[in-house]
Amino acid sequence: MKKTIMALGAVSGLTLLMASSAFAHVYEITVTNKMADELIAPVLVADTKYDGKIFAGEYVTPAAEVQVLTGDPAELAASIGGGAKVAHGADGPPGVLLAPRGAITFQIETNADALRIFAMVAPTKVPDNYLTGVFDLSTAQYESMMDDDKMGDDTMSDDKMDDDMSSDSMSDDDMMDDSMMAAETMIMGDGSTEIELARYDIGNDEGTNTITSVRGMGFASVAIKRIK
């Protein structure tokens, strides 16, 4: 009987592992720097379930602070573990930044429902600023279906999509900071889905150590499409 229970446990564990793998998809992500004269440091992407590794109350965690102040996401990525992906540009110095008007494209395999994008704005003009946004992966289009007639029908732009993006669940009391909210998505010409990243200041140089929003738009965008 004991061996039978152990065997059933092993089968159950294997089933769960297979189910977890089955839900994973591969996404192609393109980050575009829309700023005229500022660079973006290496970009960290992770499942939003790890947001607690990035944000702590009205501030960022120590590991995230290192990324915002130095541009190096290694410590934050290590604290998250295998759930984090880091992408580098090729500009600079030091040759790992994303230049103005430039873009980087990379892939990530994940079973996440939403992804957090997080990157430092290189301090050539302003210190301790970062860009972030949450990408709802249910809006990411599957590459093999992009030419399907369904892409042009009303189901892609009906009121339900707007209602989902602005529902009370996106703006209740436990989502106090804009940096924790999913961004509005746009369908692009190539079928990919795009969001705009927002910009924030952590107040380190001012000594406030409080996250505040930086006014403006067109800092950076992230386009995602599912390829597997």
Side-chain angles (χ1 to χ4, degrees):
M1 177 64 76
K2 186 175 182 180
K3 289 183 177 179
T4 301
I5 292 174
M6 291 177 65
L8 286 172
V11 171
S12 176
L14 179 60
T15 301
L16 287 172
L17 180 61
M18 292 174 65
S20 177
S21 299
F23 284 108
H25 296 299
V26 177
Y27 299 90
E28 182 179 275
I29 301 176
T30 299
V31 179
T32 302
N33 182 354
K34 293 187 172 183
M35 296 181 290
D37 54 3
E38 293 177 277
L39 294 87
I40 299 175
V43 180
L44 180 139
V45 180
D47 190 325
T48 52
K49 70 181 181 181
Y50 298 112
D51 270 356
K53 301 282 189 180
I54 302 174
F55 300 103
E58 297 297 316
Y59 198 56
V60 290
T61 63
E65 182 184 52
V66 169
Q67 181 175 349
V68 177
L69 296 180
T70 71
D72 186 357
E75 185 173 333
L76 180 56
S79 73
I80 294 172
K85 170 82 174 184
V86 173
H88 302 80
D91 307 302
V96 294
L97 306 179
L98 179 57
R101 311 302 183 186
I104 51 173
T105 298
F106 55 96
Q107 294 182 3
I108 184 171
E109 182 173 358
T110 180
N111 58 6
D113 295 322
L115 292 176
R116 163 75 58 188
I117 297 90
F118 192 80
M120 170 207 197
V121 178
T124 53
K125 296 181 68 176
V126 181
D128 64 27
N129 277 206
Y130 70 89
L131 302 172
T132 194
V134 172
F135 199 109
D136 178 359
L137 289 177
S138 70
T139 67
Q141 304 302 305
Y142 185 32
E143 189 174 45
S144 67
M145 296 175 64
M146 287 178 184
D147 295 326
D148 196 304
D149 290 339
K150 293 180 180 179
M151 289 297 298
D153 68 21
D154 292 339
T155 60
M156 293 304 298
S157 59
D158 63 16
D159 292 338
K160 182 178 184 302
M161 178 175 263
D162 292 336
D163 291 343
D164 288 343
M165 292 304 299
S166 59
S167 68
D168 290 342
S169 63
M170 294 300 294
S171 57
D172 62 18
D173 290 341
D174 23 347
M175 304 274 292
M176 294 180 65
D177 194 288
D178 289 343
S179 65
M180 302 296 289
M181 297 176 68
E184 184 177 356
T185 57
M186 299 171 285
I187 306 299
M188 307 309 293
D190 64 353
S192 62
T193 312
E194 182 178 286
I195 66 168
E196 293 287 323
L197 297 184
R199 182 169 179 168
Y200 298 88
D201 188 314
I202 64 171
N204 179 269
D205 64 318
E206 297 92 346
T208 60
N209 290 348
T210 301
I211 296 173
T212 57
S213 176
V214 176
R215 291 181 178 273
M217 56 190 303
F219 298 114
S221 65
V222 177
I224 299 183
K225 57 186 175 183
R226 182 162 71 88
I227 59 175
K228 288 185 183 178

